[in-house]
Amino acid sequence: MGGGSRPGTPSSSISGGGSGSTGPKPEAVSIEIVSGTAMLSIGCKAFFEKDGEIRQAEILSIRDKAKRQNIQRTADDTPIDNSDGTVEYEFYVHYVEFNKRLDEWVVDTRARLDKPVT
């Protein structure tokens, strides 16, 4: 190969393109504060208490604690009416930046709703 360059490596003599753009812009992320666990949905990221610390986690599944019945809810669904407080939720969560072996079912009381949800 001529000039001592290797295939697949950037060259220092690239001309043009002085805009500084390196690729597509990241998508905007919606951040909000929710008033209750009934507003949480599968796929959103919320904060939960684990081992005395507050950690961000993605919700992978939701179920009714008493019935052990999964509730398939997405962000497009309306919140479940729990005005009488009879439904206790459990969330199967994956803690962000942690190994998936730490994924677990957590009770709704461990959700930190004072933190933003994405």
Side-chain angles (χ1 to χ4, degrees), residues 84-95:
D84 58 358
T86 58
V87 178
E88 291 184 29
Y89 298 103
E90 287 185 323
F91 302 95
Y92 191 70
V93 299
H94 167 72
Y95 295 102

Side-chain angles (χ1 to χ4, degrees), residues 57-92:
E58 180 179 359
I59 297 174
L60 303 178
S61 186
I62 303 172
R63 70 181 179 192
D64 180 339
K65 183 178 177 181
K67 297 179 182 178
R68 299 277 192 220
Q69 176 181 0
N70 286 356
I71 302 169
Q72 298 300 320
R73 287 187 14 78
T74 63
D76 297 331
D77 295 338
T78 56
I80 297 170
D81 180 24
N82 191 25
S83 55
D84 58 358
T86 58
V87 178
E88 291 184 29
Y89 298 103
E90 287 185 323
F91 302 95
Y92 191 70

Side-chain angles (χ1 to χ4, degrees), residues 32-40 73 79-80 82 89 108 111-117:
E32 59 185 271
I33 302 291
V34 296
S35 58
T37 54
M39 307 245 340
L40 296 176
R73 287 187 14 78
I80 297 170
N82 191 25
Y89 298 103
D108 57 358
R112 292 297 304 264
L113 300 178
D114 57 330
K115 302 279 187 186
V117 174

